[in-house]
Amino acid sequence: MQFLKTLFWVLLAVIVVLFASRNWADVTLNLWGDIQADIKVPILLLIAVLIGFLPTWLIQRARIWSLNRRLGALERSRAAPVTAPPLEAEEEAPAL
């Protein structure tokens, strides 16, 4: 199974490299006002993917943080020492 996983990532990397090398051209972005920016197509796509990935990653990290806090609270409440009831004074038996 590890071989298939490695093969998948290698094929994906080859496809990305081929795409980037074939499309290495400038694209002009019209920003606000009269500002324009020239950027390469693969870099533009990488920026777009990262911008789309960021909210999902932040939500996941927040959820993991929340679950870790809840788990820690449960572990602390479970590990809290239980106080034993006070021992009653034992009646001493008369010495013979």
Side-chain angles (χ1 to χ4, degrees):
M1 191 65 158
Q2 183 66 28
F3 172 74
L4 292 176
K5 187 177 177 182
T6 304
L7 181 65
F8 170 76
W9 287 111
V10 168
L11 287 175
L12 184 65
V14 167
I15 289 170
V16 168
V17 168
L18 284 175
F19 175 81
S21 66
R22 305 284 178 174
N23 293 299
W24 197 258
D26 285 335
V27 174
T28 302
L29 295 178
N30 293 322
L31 302 173
W32 55 94
D34 292 335
I35 301 173
Q36 292 183 341
D38 289 336
I39 189 169
K40 304 287 186 190
V41 173
I43 296 172
L44 177 64
L45 289 177
L46 178 66
I47 291 170
V49 167
L50 290 177
I51 288 172
F53 178 72
L54 184 65
T56 304
W57 183 76
L58 289 175
I59 290 170
Q60 176 196 15
R61 296 306 304 168
R63 205 169 274 165
I64 288 172
W65 176 73
S66 172
L67 290 174
N68 281 338
R69 284 187 51 210
R70 287 176 59 190
L71 182 62
L74 287 172
E75 287 176 348
R76 281 191 303 277
S77 69
R78 182 171 171 100
V82 177
T83 57
L87 295 175
E88 294 179 14
E90 296 179 13
E91 294 180 22
E92 295 182 19
L96 294 174

